[in-house]
Structure formats: structure tokens, C-alpha cells
Amino acid sequence: MSSSHTRNPSSASDTNVNSSPTSSPTSRRSHAWGKIKSKSSSAKAKASEKLISAQQGRGGITHVAPIVGGVSISPTTAAIYSSIESTVSTSSLSSLMSPVPFAAGSHAPTAVLARTPIEIRTPYITSKLALVWTGVLGASAADAKVSVSAWLSFLLDVQQEEKDAEAVVHAKSLPGDTQVDITWLHEYLCRASSTAIRIPDAAKRDASHPLTSYFISSSHNTYLVGHQLYGDSTAQGYINVLRRGCRCIEIDVWDGDDGEPQVFHGYTLTKEISFKAVCKAIRDHAFWAEADERGVAGEVADGPVIISLECHAGHAQQLRMVEIMKKVWAGLLVEAPFCGAATVHDVTAVPPLALLRGRILVKTKYLPRDAAAEAAPAVDQQQQDVSDSGSDSELEELSRQNNTKKPPRAKLSRDLAALAIYCGSSTFPGSFTHPAALRPTHVFSFSEKVFKSHAATMEAQIIEHNKQHFMRVYPFGLRFSSSNADPTLFWRRGVQLVALNWQKFDEGMMLNEAMFSGEGGYVLKPAHIRPGYTGPPPRERKLDLSIEVIAAQNLPLPDEDDRPEKFEPYVKVEVYLGNPAIEKGEEVKGRTRKAGNRGTDAAWEYVGKMKKSRKLWRSGTSSHQVDDAADDDDAHFIPTTSTVVDGLANTLATNLHLHKRKFPKIGETVKFKGVPGVVEGAEMLGFVRFKVNDEEFGKDDLAAWACVRLDRLRQGYRFVRLLDTKGRRTGSGKRGGKGEAVLLVRVRWSFS
């Protein structure tokens, strides 16, 4: 099998030539579809970086792992790929089907930060950690030592570390009489591998399943870097999302005045860029070697990139598009089917992810051999809105709003359609049993509004369809501000391509960040929504979640705020699960009170209900209340942060130790009890979002946030690494403070 896996495309003649002239870019902008005031200023796209190491692939990327003998192939997978056996050896097929790790490659901020240690900069955190050391591990004072057995018990029982975790293995290797001090706690919690978000292990990631078995990080109107009507179109938009791990990007192509196809949002005031410049930017940034801020090399992003082409150009410039793509993406573009299929019409299965590493796939409209062979039945107006083109849907919405007629779409040429090897868009025929819905490589695209309408009546059929076939959902056409819907609604129904507006870091993008961070843009779907699942329906469980918010450092200020002395942070925790109430918009959320101090470093105190009879302990000049009542498995210890910052942690710790108080309550707890909607085996579809807000009169402004998949949320005392309102790593910009923003919390969760 060659490293390029390409053949010469079919030379079938074009039978769908567009004979009608298309409008020029100038006329498209002057079209009276409402009064739009331009707020944009033209900006040059930044120069694209050169491919790292000559792209590693134009000289021959290794797309299939080395042959490993003795690998068993599941009956389902073997049946799906039976057609491959005739063209590759049995040993190569075994290698192809084995669980093959692929590079993580996500340059999203949380993925990069996950490889760097945390630096503690504030006494608000160090003083709280002193209380953990004395109250949980039982040290007699902050500068006292504990036995290695106490340390090991902390790792296993409190932190819920796996038995093969590095810290556990190291502790077990020490002599039994070893004594450890508080620096061990600091070093352990500051490790990249100890933060609240579990780092994905690329070596355990399985790339052997068909591409349709993965959730794929996807972008809508990728060329825009702002507003949908007057934002700038720039190649930088593609660089930004590719560098953040996006693997499906959209290109809207129109006729250019100079004979060269152009990219922009049609019938708006967005500025155009050349199609060729976009293709070059994709080539130079699709597959790259990651490095952190210290220049330490990470892994290479090699998951296939899907190009969602929305073509409005005429026949002549469509041919020019094909020419540009084949030339610029030479050695990367999949130009013909693998494994013996002569044309796109002969493809019987979508290949596994491993076979498509380092490749570029084109998604555009599918043209059958015989136009009448796959003719869809008549559909009503609502189904007509189910276009195979997201931009077409937006044009329809604009025309409806302005009482104008949407211009006719140019017919697709055979040369361009021939590149839709594994992603051929088709208009939904109104039924999932229609022949168009059974073609192996078809893609149905729905606006979020229409998808929800279909899901209300055909949810089971949608889930079954998405086990083996692609589906794409894109934002509703009137989301001009580049906002997004909640993507979890679509992931739970098996939608692979949930296209989002990456121009705005709102709730939808935060959840997308949590899903794909560190995953290389591909996440294997839960077993029950993949092909071949024969087990019983997965059991639904309830979630009990407790987040004790303890302290924070280096919090960024909200946008347009430059007075840290006025900043009053509090933490809001939100839970996203698959129960009907949440999907209908009901929020499952809780919040702390504002911190006990103002500023970018902060601490929270225990505020639980106290009994009338209280004991008052005196430590130096400060007093502290200790509640006799227990909450769950914990006793309450209530210090004030000002006291421990003043250097009295040792005295407090002694009192705590003498009265045998364990698991001190040193922060404020947000609890969730019995929240339904956790599907067993699909915990990845549950999410927890942390938001740090500034308490103000009126609307509270967002300062920083983090979002984590439930299957990656780690228990125990952990640091949560925070991003700013633009989704950037904190501490690197003008508003980032002196260092990285982190939140110290204690996490506990269980299922019932």
C-alpha cells in the first residue's frame, strides 16, 4: 500500500454545467437585503507559518501503524471492511484494525497548559494548603512531617488516584519509615498530571474505527473573525481554528472578478479573500507539531481535516478550484477512493481514522451517476429548509427577513463533485429509509432549528442513522452575532459534525473546548451509539457532585475593567447532563458567595449552618469556630483566611490535630444531589462548567472559566486551570495578571 493512497480521479465529463451568469462580488454586496452598517475595517491576514519539517507528509506521512501480528478484529468491523480485504494483505488489515494511537494535536489552551506545571504565587493558596496538610494528612503543624503511609492513604482515598499513578507508584517504592513534608503536597498538586482535568493518554486512544464513529471538532463560517454580517474574512480564521484542534472547517466560495475564486459570506459586508490563500493557510497549518511556551515539542496533529465546501461559483471557477486544491494540497488531498473502488459511486464503507491520518477530505454535494436514480420525494417547506448547505440556509433566512428572493445556486460540476470521496452532501429526503439515506458516504446537514424539529418526532431513527453515517448540524441562520447552541444536544444523538461559530467564546464553545481539548479533534463516541452494539440499553444514573471552592490566584479582570481593587469574584458551577429538563433550558447551577476579599487573588471560607452550641477556640489573637455536627463524612473546621495569612496556621493546625478533626471545611461548597441524566458508559457526554464572575449591580461580568467532561473530572484537592473570556490562556495577555489563573477546589462525585 503506498504512503499517498491516491489514484487519478475519474475523468467523467461534466453534465451539470452552469450556463447562467453569476453576479460579481460588487453586486452581491450592493444587493438590498436590509440596511447593514459596516463596523469592520479591512485587515491583512497574518503570514502563514511554514509547514513543520516540510509537513512530514508531503514526503510521505506514515498513515498506517506498523504491522502487529495476532490482532483480533471484531466481527462488526471485519464485516464493514470486508471490501478492503481484497486489496490489502491480512497482516496489513490486522494492523489497520488494531487500536492505533494517534497524536493529540489540540493546541487549545487547556491542552497546552496541561503539559506545564503550576506556580503558586499567593499566600491565599499556600495558607489553605497548610490546612490541607494538617487537617487531612494529620500533620501536627504546617512544618511537620507525616509518614509515607499517611501520604499514600491521601493519594488513594482522598485524591482517588489510580494504583498505577506515578505518585502512587513512587510512594509505594519508598521505605516504610520515610517521612514527607508539605513540599510534597505542593509539588504533587502543581504537577500537570494532577490538575482537575485528567490529561488524555494518546497511547490509549483508538483510531481503528470508521470516521463516522467519532465526534469531530467542527467550525462554521470559518473564514470570519467577527460578526456574521460585517466581520472580516481572513485566512487567519482558518489558522486560528486549526491551531486549536478543529478538524472540519467551512469555505464559502464565490466567483471572483479576476477569474480567481474568492471566499466570503455572500450578500453581506464581509471582506473577501482569495480561495488560493485559504488553501495555502490550510496546507501550512492543518498538521503541525505542538510546542509549549518554553519551546518544548509536543505531539503532531495528524487527524484528517474535512473541508466543508459551500460552492456558489460558476462552472469555470469551480474547475479552477479543483486545480488549486490538487496543486496546493498535493500529497495531502484524498483524490480517489482507497482499496480498489473506481469512483466515489463504488465506495462501500468509510475508512477508519487511522487510514486517513495526515489527509484532507473534501465535503461537497454528491452527484449520483443517474440524477433520477436517487431523486428525493417531494418535501414540505420545513424540509426544504434542510439544505445540504449551511450558507444556503442563512441566505434563505436573510431573504425571508427582507422579502427578497434568494438567488439561484450554481450547479456543481462533476470534476468538483468527484472529490467528495467519503463526505458527499445530500439533501435530506424526509425519511431515513430512502436510498439516499443508505449510501455509505452521505452527509445530511441540518440547521439547529430543523434538527430539533426532526429529533422531536424521529429521535430513534436519527440515532440509528448516525451510528454509521455522517450528520452535520450548523447554527441557525439568524445567529448574526456568532453565538452558538448547546452542542451536547446533538452529540447525545450521535451527530459527528456539530459546527460552531468559533468567533465567539460562549457556552457552546466552552463545551466544545471541554469535549475536544487534548484529543486531536476526534473523540470516539460511546459504544451504544456506534455500529455493532448489541448490549442492553445503557443504564441511566444520577449524579451527586460536590465542589468546594477554596482559593484562586491571578484571576483576569472582566473585559473593560481595569480596577482590581473593585473586583469581587464569586464562582458559579453549572452541570450539563442528558435529562429532558436540562435540554429544555432548565439550568442546573449553584454558586458561592463573593470571596472574602477583593482583588485578583481570593479565598473563600466555610459558611455552613452552625449549631446553637458552639465551641470557641482561641489561637493567639484570633478566634475560630468549630462545628460539632458532621456534613457527610467530614467535620467542619472554620479558619479565617486573614488569620492563616498572618502566620498562625501552625497554631490552628495544632488545635485541629488535638481535637482529631479530619477533612476540614476550608472553603465554600456548591452541591448537586441526585441530578439525573448520566448514561452509563457515556459519561463523556456530561459536563461541569466553572465560571468566575464579578459581582456587580445588574449583570455580573465573566472574568474566567473552565469546562470539563465528567469522565475527565478528577476527585480530591485539585487546581482548575482557567481561561479568559476569549478562550485564551491566562497570564499571557495585558489582562492576564502576573501568571496563570487557577482555582483551588476539592471535588467529590458519585453515581447512584
mmCIF file of all heavy atoms in Angstrom, residues 250-269:
data_model
loop_
_atom_site.group_PDB
_atom_site.id
_atom_site.type_symbol
_atom_site.label_atom_id
_atom_site.label_comp_id
_atom_site.label_asym_id
_atom_site.label_seq_id
_atom_site.Cartn_x
_atom_site.Cartn_y
_atom_site.Cartn_z
ATOM 1 N N GLU A 250 -15.093 25.221 7.223
ATOM 2 C CA GLU A 250 -16.018 25.567 6.148
ATOM 3 C C GLU A 250 -15.437 26.656 5.254
ATOM 4 O O GLU A 250 -14.827 27.615 5.739
ATOM 5 C CB GLU A 250 -17.344 26.048 6.755
ATOM 6 C CG GLU A 250 -18.416 26.330 5.710
ATOM 7 C CD GLU A 250 -19.738 26.738 6.325
ATOM 8 O OE1 GLU A 250 -19.740 27.319 7.436
ATOM 9 O OE2 GLU A 250 -20.777 26.485 5.699
ATOM 10 N N ILE A 251 -15.650 26.497 3.948
ATOM 11 C CA ILE A 251 -15.218 27.502 2.977
ATOM 12 C C ILE A 251 -16.410 27.843 2.078
ATOM 13 O O ILE A 251 -16.928 26.974 1.377
ATOM 14 C CB ILE A 251 -14.041 27.016 2.101
ATOM 15 C CG1 ILE A 251 -12.916 26.417 2.956
ATOM 16 C CG2 ILE A 251 -13.509 28.152 1.253
ATOM 17 C CD1 ILE A 251 -11.736 25.901 2.145
ATOM 18 N N ASP A 252 -16.839 29.106 2.082
ATOM 19 C CA ASP A 252 -17.874 29.590 1.169
ATOM 20 C C ASP A 252 -17.181 30.238 -0.023
ATOM 21 O O ASP A 252 -16.453 31.219 0.144
ATOM 22 C CB ASP A 252 -18.758 30.629 1.863
ATOM 23 C CG ASP A 252 -19.838 29.981 2.714
ATOM 24 O OD1 ASP A 252 -19.668 28.810 3.065
ATOM 25 O OD2 ASP A 252 -20.837 30.654 3.023
ATOM 26 N N VAL A 253 -17.389 29.684 -1.205
ATOM 27 C CA VAL A 253 -16.644 30.121 -2.383
ATOM 28 C C VAL A 253 -17.593 30.758 -3.394
ATOM 29 O O VAL A 253 -18.655 30.210 -3.709
ATOM 30 C CB VAL A 253 -15.898 28.947 -3.039
ATOM 31 C CG1 VAL A 253 -14.932 29.460 -4.101
ATOM 32 C CG2 VAL A 253 -15.137 28.137 -1.990
ATOM 33 N N TRP A 254 -17.165 31.914 -3.914
ATOM 34 C CA TRP A 254 -17.934 32.662 -4.909
ATOM 35 C C TRP A 254 -17.027 33.025 -6.084
ATOM 36 O O TRP A 254 -15.804 33.014 -5.962
ATOM 37 C CB TRP A 254 -18.500 33.947 -4.300
ATOM 38 C CG TRP A 254 -19.428 33.726 -3.149
ATOM 39 C CD1 TRP A 254 -19.087 33.424 -1.865
ATOM 40 C CD2 TRP A 254 -20.853 33.788 -3.168
ATOM 41 N NE1 TRP A 254 -20.201 33.292 -1.079
ATOM 42 C CE2 TRP A 254 -21.305 33.519 -1.848
ATOM 43 C CE3 TRP A 254 -21.800 34.064 -4.153
ATOM 44 C CZ2 TRP A 254 -22.652 33.505 -1.508
ATOM 45 C CZ3 TRP A 254 -23.139 34.061 -3.811
ATOM 46 C CH2 TRP A 254 -23.568 33.781 -2.514
ATOM 47 N N ASP A 255 -17.639 33.391 -7.211
ATOM 48 C CA ASP A 255 -16.868 33.861 -8.362
ATOM 49 C C ASP A 255 -16.147 35.150 -8.023
ATOM 50 O O ASP A 255 -16.727 36.065 -7.425
ATOM 51 C CB ASP A 255 -17.784 34.114 -9.564
ATOM 52 C CG ASP A 255 -18.115 32.844 -10.317
ATOM 53 O OD1 ASP A 255 -17.315 31.886 -10.281
ATOM 54 O OD2 ASP A 255 -19.179 32.803 -10.943
ATOM 55 N N GLY A 256 -14.859 35.221 -8.401
ATOM 56 C CA GLY A 256 -14.096 36.457 -8.249
ATOM 57 C C GLY A 256 -14.086 37.235 -9.551
ATOM 58 O O GLY A 256 -14.214 36.662 -10.647
ATOM 59 N N ASP A 257 -13.932 38.551 -9.472
ATOM 60 C CA ASP A 257 -13.956 39.403 -10.667
ATOM 61 C C ASP A 257 -12.791 39.128 -11.602
ATOM 62 O O ASP A 257 -12.875 39.353 -12.813
ATOM 63 C CB ASP A 257 -13.929 40.881 -10.250
ATOM 64 C CG ASP A 257 -15.229 41.305 -9.582
ATOM 65 O OD1 ASP A 257 -16.269 40.690 -9.877
ATOM 66 O OD2 ASP A 257 -15.195 42.245 -8.767
ATOM 67 N N ASP A 258 -11.669 38.636 -11.048
ATOM 68 C CA ASP A 258 -10.466 38.425 -11.862
ATOM 69 C C ASP A 258 -10.322 36.985 -12.330
ATOM 70 O O ASP A 258 -9.250 36.576 -12.769
ATOM 71 C CB ASP A 258 -9.227 38.832 -11.064
ATOM 72 C CG ASP A 258 -9.112 38.059 -9.752
ATOM 73 O OD1 ASP A 258 -10.031 37.267 -9.445
ATOM 74 O OD2 ASP A 258 -8.100 38.247 -9.038
ATOM 75 N N GLY A 259 -11.402 36.212 -12.227
ATOM 76 C CA GLY A 259 -11.342 34.817 -12.658
ATOM 77 C C GLY A 259 -10.836 33.875 -11.597
ATOM 78 O O GLY A 259 -10.774 32.659 -11.822
ATOM 79 N N GLU A 260 -10.464 34.427 -10.434
ATOM 80 C CA GLU A 260 -9.987 33.610 -9.336
ATOM 81 C C GLU A 260 -11.086 33.504 -8.273
ATOM 82 O O GLU A 260 -11.635 34.527 -7.844
ATOM 83 C CB GLU A 260 -8.730 34.213 -8.709
ATOM 84 C CG GLU A 260 -7.489 34.117 -9.573
ATOM 85 C CD GLU A 260 -7.025 32.673 -9.745
ATOM 86 O OE1 GLU A 260 -6.992 31.930 -8.743
ATOM 87 O OE2 GLU A 260 -6.708 32.294 -10.882
ATOM 88 N N PRO A 261 -11.445 32.293 -7.840
ATOM 89 C CA PRO A 261 -12.497 32.140 -6.826
ATOM 90 C C PRO A 261 -12.136 32.850 -5.526
ATOM 91 O O PRO A 261 -10.962 32.899 -5.138
ATOM 92 C CB PRO A 261 -12.601 30.626 -6.643
ATOM 93 C CG PRO A 261 -11.340 30.062 -7.201
ATOM 94 C CD PRO A 261 -10.884 30.997 -8.257
ATOM 95 N N GLN A 262 -13.175 33.390 -4.875
ATOM 96 C CA GLN A 262 -12.979 34.137 -3.639
ATOM 97 C C GLN A 262 -13.825 33.543 -2.512
ATOM 98 O O GLN A 262 -14.826 32.879 -2.761
ATOM 99 C CB GLN A 262 -13.332 35.605 -3.835
ATOM 100 C CG GLN A 262 -12.411 36.332 -4.798
ATOM 101 C CD GLN A 262 -12.781 37.799 -4.934
ATOM 102 O OE1 GLN A 262 -13.935 38.184 -4.794
ATOM 103 N NE2 GLN A 262 -11.785 38.626 -5.202
ATOM 104 N N VAL A 263 -13.419 33.839 -1.295
ATOM 105 C CA VAL A 263 -14.090 33.318 -0.102
ATOM 106 C C VAL A 263 -14.625 34.486 0.719
ATOM 107 O O VAL A 263 -13.872 35.401 1.060
ATOM 108 C CB VAL A 263 -13.117 32.483 0.757
ATOM 109 C CG1 VAL A 263 -13.794 32.006 2.041
ATOM 110 C CG2 VAL A 263 -12.581 31.303 -0.047
ATOM 111 N N PHE A 264 -15.906 34.471 1.011
ATOM 112 C CA PHE A 264 -16.522 35.436 1.917
ATOM 113 C C PHE A 264 -17.950 35.003 2.195
ATOM 114 O O PHE A 264 -18.443 34.020 1.631
ATOM 115 C CB PHE A 264 -16.482 36.865 1.349
ATOM 116 C CG PHE A 264 -17.238 37.059 0.072
ATOM 117 C CD1 PHE A 264 -18.579 37.425 0.079
ATOM 118 C CD2 PHE A 264 -16.608 36.885 -1.164
ATOM 119 C CE1 PHE A 264 -19.276 37.609 -1.100
ATOM 120 C CE2 PHE A 264 -17.300 37.064 -2.341
ATOM 121 C CZ PHE A 264 -18.639 37.417 -2.321
ATOM 122 N N HIS A 265 -18.636 35.730 3.071
ATOM 123 C CA HIS A 265 -20.019 35.436 3.416
ATOM 124 C C HIS A 265 -20.912 36.190 2.442
ATOM 125 O O HIS A 265 -20.996 37.417 2.491
ATOM 126 C CB HIS A 265 -20.297 35.859 4.858
ATOM 127 C CG HIS A 265 -21.482 35.184 5.456
ATOM 128 N ND1 HIS A 265 -21.944 35.455 6.722
ATOM 129 C CD2 HIS A 265 -22.313 34.231 4.967
ATOM 130 C CE1 HIS A 265 -23.005 34.706 6.980
ATOM 131 N NE2 HIS A 265 -23.236 33.964 5.929
ATOM 132 N N GLY A 266 -21.576 35.470 1.550
ATOM 133 C CA GLY A 266 -22.343 36.088 0.471
ATOM 134 C C GLY A 266 -23.429 37.033 0.938
ATOM 135 O O GLY A 266 -24.074 36.818 1.961
ATOM 136 N N TYR A 267 -23.616 38.094 0.181
ATOM 137 C CA TYR A 267 -24.677 39.077 0.414
ATOM 138 C C TYR A 267 -24.575 39.738 1.786
ATOM 139 O O TYR A 267 -25.571 40.028 2.434
ATOM 140 C CB TYR A 267 -26.061 38.458 0.192
ATOM 141 C CG TYR A 267 -26.245 38.033 -1.232
ATOM 142 C CD1 TYR A 267 -25.919 36.745 -1.620
ATOM 143 C CD2 TYR A 267 -26.685 38.928 -2.187
ATOM 144 C CE1 TYR A 267 -26.033 36.352 -2.943
ATOM 145 C CE2 TYR A 267 -26.799 38.544 -3.514
ATOM 146 C CZ TYR A 267 -26.475 37.253 -3.889
ATOM 147 O OH TYR A 267 -26.581 36.880 -5.207
ATOM 148 N N THR A 268 -23.341 39.925 2.224
ATOM 149 C CA THR A 268 -23.075 40.669 3.456
ATOM 150 C C THR A 268 -21.942 41.647 3.167
ATOM 151 O O THR A 268 -21.457 41.730 2.031
ATOM 152 C CB THR A 268 -22.656 39.738 4.608
ATOM 153 O OG1 THR A 268 -21.373 39.163 4.309
ATOM 154 C CG2 THR A 268 -23.681 38.633 4.816
ATOM 155 N N LEU A 269 -21.508 42.380 4.175
ATOM 156 C CA LEU A 269 -20.434 43.356 4.004
ATOM 157 C C LEU A 269 -19.077 42.792 4.419
ATOM 158 O O LEU A 269 -18.148 43.541 4.690
ATOM 159 C CB LEU A 269 -20.748 44.611 4.815
ATOM 160 C CG LEU A 269 -22.019 45.348 4.364
ATOM 161 C CD1 LEU A 269 -22.295 46.521 5.279
ATOM 162 C CD2 LEU A 269 -21.881 45.825 2.923
#
